[in-house]
């Protein structure tokens, strides 16, 4: 099971090994079409450590141009030390496998993506001995897929598009297209896409939107994650309804509700706490009193 946003950003290439071909097409960077893809060990540690691990490493075979290696790195923020590590990875892979290596960096933040795009020369003065030049997939260049038919044609690419646009205003339209597309596919196909998307969105508000879409649009799926998402969606719906009840009682009693009270009530997702506030709302002298003392 995917356990974090960072893992989802690179692990999706392991579960959908042909995804790089579609990503490179989406980014208008032509590469030969893959004929076979293999997941390779990601450990690039020398005999004497430092421990070094590439997030995901794939061997991709092509029909007319032979095989190459694809190192996929998930990058959440700018890190001035990372280009040196990437240079090490590329040199190590070239030496170990005797195959041409490529580096793909997946980002969710536009500033990080634009930073990662810049070529990084490694050398002295005006003579770079090595230049690190990754391919970068992020919110600055990944497609915004809002048509369910387009999403259905490539579910993995749409999931990755949603993950890379997690902080963008467009993410809601992508997620809606994806949830609509998933209605018509078998459960064993839909479940990993649901999981990658949920984990890839991290703790951003888009994750809650995705969970609500799954609860409504994909209510017939029975997987563990789908059930967890639906349970959360139902709990959030009950909490929202109870919060509205608290405010309605206060309004019906003619009490003036401050923005702070309204915010605190609507942001609460604890049903027991909301029930206590609802009980108090019937009798308190002023709205602030529903929170009790302290």
């Amino acid at each position: 099971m995917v356990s974090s946003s960072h893992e989802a950003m690179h692990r999706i290439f392991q579960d959908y090994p042909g995804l790089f071909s579609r990503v490179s097409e989406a980014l208008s960077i032509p590469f030969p079409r893959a004929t076979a893809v293999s997941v390779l060990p990601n450990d690039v540690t020398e005999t004497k450590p430092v421990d070094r691990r590439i997030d995901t490493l794939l061997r991709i075979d092509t029909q007319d141009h032979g095989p190459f290696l694809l190192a996929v790195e998930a990058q959440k923020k700018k890190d001035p030390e990372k280009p040196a590590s990437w240079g090490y990875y590329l040199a190590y892979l070239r030496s170990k496998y005797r195959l041409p290596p490529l580096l793909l960096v997946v980002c969710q933040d536009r500033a990080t993506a634009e930073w990662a795009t810049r070529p990084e020369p490694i050398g002295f003065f005006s003579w770079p001995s090595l230049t690190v030049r990754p391919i970068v997939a992020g919110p600055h260049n990944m497609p915004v897929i809002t048509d369910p038919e387009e999403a259905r044609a490539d579910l993995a690419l749409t999931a990755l598009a949603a993950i890379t646009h997690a902080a963008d205003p467009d993410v809601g339209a992508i997620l809606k297209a994806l949830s609509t597309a998933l209605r018509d596919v078998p459960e064993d196909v839909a479940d990993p896409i649901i999981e990658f998307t949920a984990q890839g969105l991290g703790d951003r508000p888009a994750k809650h939107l995705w969970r609500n879409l799954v609860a409504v649009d994909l209510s017939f799926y029975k997987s563990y994650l789908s059930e967890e998402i639906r349970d959360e969606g139902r709990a959030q719906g009950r909490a929202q309804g109870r919060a509205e009840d608290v405010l309605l009682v206060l309004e019906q009693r003619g009490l003036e509700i401050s923005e702070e009270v309204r915010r605190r009530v609507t942001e609460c997702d604890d049903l027991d706490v909301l029930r206590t506030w609802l009980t108090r709302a019937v009798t308190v002298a002023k709205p602030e009193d529903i929170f009790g003392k302290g």
Side-chain angles (χ1 to χ4, degrees), residues 13-275:
F13 288 88
Q14 295 182 27
D15 283 40
Y16 300 91
L19 180 58
F20 174 69
S21 292
R22 281 110 66 191
V23 170
S24 66
E25 289 174 4
L27 302 184
S28 300
I29 304 174
F31 283 100
R33 196 74 176 175
T35 57
V37 180
S38 307
V39 179
L40 301 178
N42 64 343
D43 191 338
V44 291
T45 306
E46 292 285 10
T47 307
K48 295 184 179 179
V50 172
D51 184 42
R52 300 177 190 269
R53 292 184 186 275
I54 298 166
D55 288 337
T56 284
L57 179 60
L58 304 174
R59 172 184 164 134
I60 299 180
D61 292 290
T62 68
Q63 184 170 351
D64 299 322
H65 297 270
F68 68 96
L69 301 177
L70 179 68
V72 184
E73 286 278 294
Q75 191 67 27
K76 304 296 281 291
K77 61 182 181 180
K78 298 178 185 179
D79 181 354
E81 301 301 319
K82 210 56 191 275
S85 297
W86 292 340
Y88 171 86
Y89 296 162
L90 293 170
Y92 178 91
L93 293 174
R94 178 67 182 85
S95 176
K96 178 177 180 178
Y97 291 99
R98 301 295 177 183
L99 293 174
L102 288 176
L103 172 63
L104 172 65
V105 179
V106 182
C107 304
Q108 293 177 297
D109 172 77
R110 188 175 298 269
T112 302
E114 291 174 349
W115 161 80
T117 301
R118 293 197 298 266
E120 180 72 17
I122 298 175
F124 178 69
F125 198 51
S126 61
W127 192 273
S129 299
L130 172 69
T131 299
V132 178
R133 185 169 174 253
I135 300 168
V136 179
H140 67 305
N141 62 356
M142 281 293 286
V144 176
I145 300 173
T146 59
D147 180 356
E149 288 303 317
E150 186 179 354
R152 188 175 293 107
D154 200 328
L155 296 171
L157 181 66
T158 306
L160 185 65
I163 291 169
T164 55
H165 287 284
D168 283 7
D170 294 325
V171 69
I174 302 174
L175 293 174
K176 180 59 179 175
L178 181 57
S179 67
T180 301
L182 288 171
R183 294 177 187 172
D184 302 328
V185 302
E187 186 173 345
D188 61 338
V189 174
D191 280 343
I193 294 292
I194 292 171
E195 181 182 338
F196 271 117
T197 305
Q199 295 298 340
L201 295 172
D203 295 326
R204 293 173 174 82
K207 182 173 184 176
H208 303 295
L209 173 59
W210 177 239
R211 288 176 177 270
N212 288 334
L213 286 170
V214 170
V216 174
D217 290 347
L218 305 173
S219 58
F220 44 87
Y221 284 131
K222 301 299 183 184
S223 74
Y224 172 80
L225 183 67
S226 298
E227 286 299 317
E228 177 187 313
I229 290 172
R230 280 194 288 277
D231 288 344
E232 287 191 15
R234 294 188 193 106
Q236 288 173 358
R238 289 194 296 270
Q240 182 180 357
R242 188 159 292 177
E244 291 172 354
D245 291 341
V246 172
L247 296 174
L248 180 61
V249 169
L250 294 172
E251 289 169 352
Q252 289 296 313
R253 294 185 57 220
L255 300 178
E256 186 175 346
I257 305 171
S258 69
E259 287 302 316
E260 174 60 23
V261 169
R262 191 177 298 276
R263 180 196 64 76
R264 188 170 171 185
V265 171
T266 55
E267 289 183 358
C268 180
D269 58 4
D270 188 316
L271 288 169
D272 291 334
V273 171
L274 287 166
R275 186 174 185 276

